[in-house]
Amino acid sequence: MKSFHILFALILAVLGITLVISGGSKEKVLMYMKSRGYLEYTSQEAQELAYTKCKQCHPIDKITKYCMRCGPPFIIVTHNMKKLISIEKQKPGTAWIDYMTDAEANAMTEVWNAIVGNWEDTWRKEDLKKLLENDKAMLKLLDTPVKERKIETALKGKTAEGVHETMKPLPKE
């Protein structure tokens, strides 16, 4: 019981500090907590996040036209975008690019999987794990069955404007 009280006090302290830092906006605090993985994104919030973050660097139609023949599944693409943003942030004049937290990356991956296509099962799991380079958050998502991914499940069947029809995978040789 004592550890519960300590944990609760710690959470309250973090919330209080976050409120002071963010200027007191409840929405800012909630989004901060979600971006750090303390709270879950709703499917709508995740979709808004995906559109907002991704259009920092390229048009959304670039994503909606992405297909399984263009490259790896979104889980790999998002992982690589996290790395690329970290590299780009080191360059002068790139302050406008927002970092991507693990919780944001997972939510965004689920969004694009749902509205464009989840092609993780068209790749060998060992290859996906190798490409994720010990990215613990993405590896956890990879090991989560699609039916247990709340955002992806909630958005399944919805599509973004301009999405290609799902193409059949090329036959394996």
Side-chain angles (χ1 to χ4, degrees), residues 138-157:
M138 287 298 195
L139 287 167
K140 184 176 178 183
L141 180 63
L142 179 64
D143 288 335
T144 303
V146 174
K147 65 183 176 199
E148 293 176 21
R149 298 179 184 183
K150 293 178 183 178
I151 296 166
E152 195 166 337
T153 302
L155 294 174
K156 196 71 177 167

